[in-house]
Amino acid sequence: MSELGEFELIARYFKRPERALGAGVALGVGDDCALLQPGAGMQLAVSSDMLVSGRHFFADVDPRTLGHKALAVNLSDLAACGARPLGFTLALALPTANADWLAAFSEGLFALADAHHCILVGGDTTRGPLNICITVFGEVPPGHALLRSGARAGDDVYVSGTLGDAALALKAMLGEIELPPEVLMQARKRLEQPAPRVALGLALRGIATAAADVSDGLVGDLGHILEQSGVGATVHTEIATSLIASHAYFMGASGPNDLQKMAPQLLQCALAGGDDYELVFTAPATNREAVLSAAQRSATVVTRIGRIDSEPGLRLIDAQGKPLAQQLASFDHFGT
Ligand code: ADP
Ligand code: MG
């Protein structure tokens, strides 16, 4: 990198003072390896997520929100496991070393990192098409990680927060639908600055039987839980659709005609949109009080949307209890 040397770039934007190290990190950026120090007897939870320009984000996206999102999608995986964040590495390919871009990107990145006490411990920096790969490290007591394989027939199915707003924003930005400016602004915030549900994941340890984060759409991500647990589920689509924040707008302000026109889009976005970064999880009915209290402790809204059955497959039913007619598919990078 000629504009700004590789090492100067790392020192200026990604190396922070030693005092910024936390309990889980013994050595950070600057040596050949970082040294992590999980709590005594803890398991290390590890996950990577890559964001590719033109694939996962628009090349001209605000670098501040990009820094936020690159870490957020990784923290979301730790959340889904019930792991406490310790640190992360950042592998960055940049077409040019633009000082303004780097300053904004690292600001967005560190604001979220600091909020979760998650420390940047190392990485790699190279010239190339814009590409961001983060690996996060967290800790969880042995036997307490929330896995996809733990759902049992009779468990309730829950989802956190709202669903589908990010997908709705993306459709609008691609010109496939039109959204009122105030709805688009809200929805775009969900797309560009998702809030990883780390506190909820931690609060659900010992309460939830299975969990996953909703990155590719509810149907697909709940589908992973069902497959790995060897069970099926029945989900009430009108409850899931009501979780899309814009639903209220189309129902209220703009009138029932607009809602009818938008209904298939809202349903598609809520159930199969992707980029939600909410948690979908299961828990036995005897834990309903405990789930509510976990939601309160983590200041996160949680909604019960269905039930786990022994019969394999996902059954989507409408408000009348009838199977849903609309076909839905979750996002798949290599799907046809
Ligand atoms: P190596 O030559 O061993 O690959 P580098 O010279 O690439 O190491 O990196 C020097 C130091 O800077 C290492 O500690 C590495 O982890 C860190 N580093 C490189 N790129 C980044 C980055 N984007 N963010 C944080 N740390 C980085
Ligand atoms: Mg290197």
Side-chain angles (χ1 to χ4, degrees):
M1 305 231 160
S2 61
E3 309 90 343
L4 187 66
E6 177 185 337
F7 299 104
E8 200 186 338
L9 184 162
I10 296 165
R12 194 180 297 176
Y13 298 105
F14 298 116
K15 185 163 167 52
R16 301 171 94 196
E18 283 298 309
R19 62 182 155 72
L21 292 187
V25 178
L27 181 67
V29 170
D31 215 307
D32 294 311
C33 288
L35 297 174
L36 297 187
Q37 187 71 66
M42 289 287 206
Q43 286 182 331
L44 204 54
V46 181
S47 180
S48 289
D49 251 313
M50 182 156 65
L51 296 190
V52 177
S53 178
R55 186 76 204 169
H56 299 95
F57 59 89
F58 298 109
D60 62 350
V61 71
D62 176 357
R64 200 169 208 297
T65 66
L66 185 60
H68 173 105
K69 185 163 178 176
L71 181 59
V73 303
N74 278 277
L75 288 174
S76 179
D77 285 313
L78 288 184
C81 266
R84 181 185 301 285
L86 296 175
F88 67 104
T89 60
L90 167 68
L92 194 59
L94 294 169
T96 56
N98 178 300
D100 291 340
W101 192 96
L102 279 159
F105 175 83
S106 65
E107 228 178 84
L109 180 82
F110 284 127
L112 185 68
D114 291 348
H116 290 277
H117 309 290
C118 190
I119 293 153
L120 178 59
V121 298
D124 198 20
T125 308
T126 173
R127 191 188 291 276
L130 183 55
N131 191 327
I132 305 153
C133 184
I134 286 181
T135 299
V136 277
F137 304 88
E139 64 177 19
V140 62
H144 281 71
L146 305 175
L147 306 182
R148 295 176 172 190
S149 52
R152 296 292 172 258
D155 283 357
D156 295 318
V157 178
Y158 298 86
V159 71
S160 66
T162 63
L163 288 176
D165 301 286
L168 205 67
L170 183 62
K171 272 187 195 293
M173 289 163 79
L174 292 172
E176 293 171 16
I177 57 169
E178 237 179 275
L179 289 179
E182 62 270 39
V183 176
L184 178 59
M185 207 173 71
Q186 282 287 330
R188 250 185 97 157
K189 183 138 197 292
R190 292 302 312 272
L191 176 68
E192 293 174 354
Q193 287 175 282
R197 302 303 186 188
V198 174
L200 178 63
L202 290 172
L204 287 172
R205 278 182 191 168
I207 295 169
T209 46
D213 67 325
V214 184
S215 53
D216 296 327
L218 178 70
V219 165
D221 290 313
L222 174 57
H224 296 312
I225 290 181
L226 302 182
E227 232 168 76
Q228 295 192 28
S229 300
V231 293
T234 305
V235 162
H236 297 271
T237 61
E238 90 282 6
I239 304 179
T241 311
S242 73
L243 294 179
I244 192 163
S246 323
H247 186 256
Y249 176 89
F250 287 104
M251 220 166 58
S254 73
N257 287 344
D258 276 6
L259 178 63
Q260 254 185 10
K261 203 174 68 193
M262 283 298 290
Q265 308 273 15
L266 296 178
L267 189 72
Q268 168 73 29
C269 288
L271 294 175
D275 261 345
D276 296 305
Y277 300 102
E278 295 295 351
L279 297 187
V280 56
F281 62 95
T282 60
T286 48
N287 279 358
R288 278 185 194 172
E289 287 288 320
V291 168
L292 277 185
S293 113
Q296 269 166 5
R297 267 181 289 140
S298 58
T300 313
V301 174
V302 154
T303 309
R304 184 153 53 88
I305 58 166
R307 196 193 56 233
I308 297 291
D309 318 310
S310 49
E311 187 190 336
L314 175 58
R315 286 157 291 282
L316 300 172
I317 57 170
D318 65 16
Q320 282 74 46
K322 292 206 298 264
L324 192 73
Q326 189 173 335
Q327 288 297 312
L328 299 159
S330 262
F331 189 73
D332 175 351
H333 282 284
F334 294 100
T336 47

